[in-house]
Amino acid sequence: MKNLMFKSARALAVVAGLAVAGPALAAGDAPHVEKQPWSFAGPFGQFDKAQLQRGFQVYQEVCSSCHGLSLVAFRNLAEEGGPGFSVDEVKALAAEYSIEDGPDDEGEMFERDGKPFDKFPSPFANEQAARASNNGAYPPDLSLMAKARAVTRGFPWFVLDIATQYQENGPDYLYGLLTGYHEAPEGVEVPEGQYYNTGFIAGKTLAMAPPLSDELVEYSDGSPMTTDQYARDVSAFLMWAAEPHLEARKRIGFGVMAFLILFASLLYFTKRKIWSNVDH
């Protein structure tokens, strides 16, 4: 019996050690990601519509030349919880794009102006064309990037993140990547066609040139036109693109929790009332 208990305790220790070592190793290999103050953070957070509009402007004027947004439709920009564009603004925006449609009655594909129900078209006809235009690198689609690129913080932080409902590691990483371009330190060799970046998840260099610089995009609302502000705005926009129903999810979650608390209280007092005259 003692031998069995010893083996069980040793097995639990090994499992606990792996649970601690695994995230720790992952955190050591991954870049350090600083938490940023997002308006949508926390259980009651909401998107800043003005920031989402600025982020969309950065995407449209800078990122869209290489990166697609294939899972987002133009009409999504006017939906509740999003950037808050009007229906007329969405129609005008969609009409700026040419959409391949068809086939027509003769079996031929044709180009037409975009409609609100269309999704954002890819900047390239296919993957081969995209690689040919980017020195062999394939620019990924950004529709889900804020959820797909999330750096875990390792033990014990991930336990605290669960308790605090920290879910912003995706936009935190994107912000760190966009602001992580620096001159390579002495002794670090950067391959030709690569750029040194301290925030990149897969190494210290990547093929994407620094996309942002000060005064690159002209804001009309008086916000700072700096690399830092551009990175924050487009990261927030990509978070919305990846989770457009975030605000609705939080509202429903809060309502469900309130209902469960009330229901549990009613059950408790009902039980007390029913069994109050019964000897235990």
Side-chain angles (χ1 to χ4, degrees):
M1 184 67 177
K2 291 183 178 180
N3 189 39
L4 178 61
M5 292 176 62
F6 175 76
K7 289 182 178 180
S8 299
R10 185 172 61 181
L12 288 174
V14 171
V15 172
L18 290 175
V20 172
L25 288 174
D29 294 337
H32 177 67
V33 177
E34 294 285 349
K35 293 182 66 175
Q36 302 300 321
W38 304 107
S39 66
F40 50 83
F44 305 105
Q46 294 182 328
F47 287 116
D48 181 343
K49 288 182 171 55
Q51 184 176 51
L52 294 186
Q53 291 187 12
R54 294 194 304 269
F56 172 69
Q57 184 180 354
V58 175
Y59 166 77
Q60 188 180 34
E61 296 185 17
V62 180
C63 310
S64 63
S65 60
C66 294
H67 298 275
L69 205 65
S70 62
L71 299 181
V72 179
F74 295 110
R75 64 185 176 190
N76 296 144
L77 298 173
E79 293 176 351
E80 184 180 359
F85 288 104
S86 68
V87 174
D88 290 338
E89 288 175 327
V90 169
K91 289 180 179 179
L93 171 67
E96 297 176 2
Y97 289 80
S98 294
I99 305 296
E100 185 180 41
D101 203 347
D104 57 17
D105 294 339
E106 298 179 355
E108 300 293 335
M109 303 300 289
F110 61 92
E111 298 283 334
R112 61 167 176 81
D113 291 340
K115 302 293 183 182
F117 56 78
D118 290 316
K119 291 182 170 61
F120 282 85
S122 172
F124 303 103
N126 49 59
E127 180 177 340
Q128 289 73 18
R131 291 186 181 278
S133 299
N134 292 276
N135 297 320
Y138 181 56
D141 187 90
L142 298 182
S143 301
L144 302 176
M145 191 58 63
K147 304 294 286 187
R149 298 292 190 271
V151 179
T152 57
R153 299 203 298 160
F155 185 86
W157 296 109
F158 77 91
V159 178
L160 182 62
D161 292 343
I162 295 174
T164 60
Q165 298 188 28
Y166 170 64
Q167 303 174 36
E168 296 75 48
N169 47 345
D172 283 344
Y173 168 68
L174 294 178
Y175 169 80
L177 174 69
L178 292 172
T179 58
Y181 289 93
H182 303 285
E183 290 291 334
E186 186 177 354
V188 175
E189 183 178 352
V190 178
E192 184 178 357
Q194 298 281 309
Y195 301 87
Y196 184 78
N197 189 306
T198 57
F200 187 40
I201 195 173
K204 290 299 183 182
T205 64
L206 73 166
M208 182 175 71
L212 302 175
S213 60
D214 294 348
E215 306 293 329
L216 180 63
V217 178
E218 184 176 355
Y219 284 156
S220 59
D221 64 355
S223 297
M225 294 185 291
T226 62
T227 299
D228 182 88
Q229 189 65 50
Y230 296 148
R232 292 183 187 278
D233 293 343
V234 76
S235 297
F237 172 74
L238 293 177
M239 180 61 178
W240 167 81
E243 194 170 0
H245 303 297
L246 178 142
E247 293 183 7
R249 173 176 62 80
K250 290 183 178 182
R251 286 196 301 269
I252 294 173
F254 178 77
V256 169
M257 292 303 298
F259 169 78
L260 290 176
I261 293 173
L262 177 61
F263 185 62
S265 300
L266 291 174
L267 286 178
Y268 172 75
F269 289 113
T270 301
K271 180 258 185 186
R272 291 286 301 271
K273 179 66 176 178
I274 293 174
W275 294 93
S276 60
N277 297 323
V278 178
D279 294 333
H280 292 76

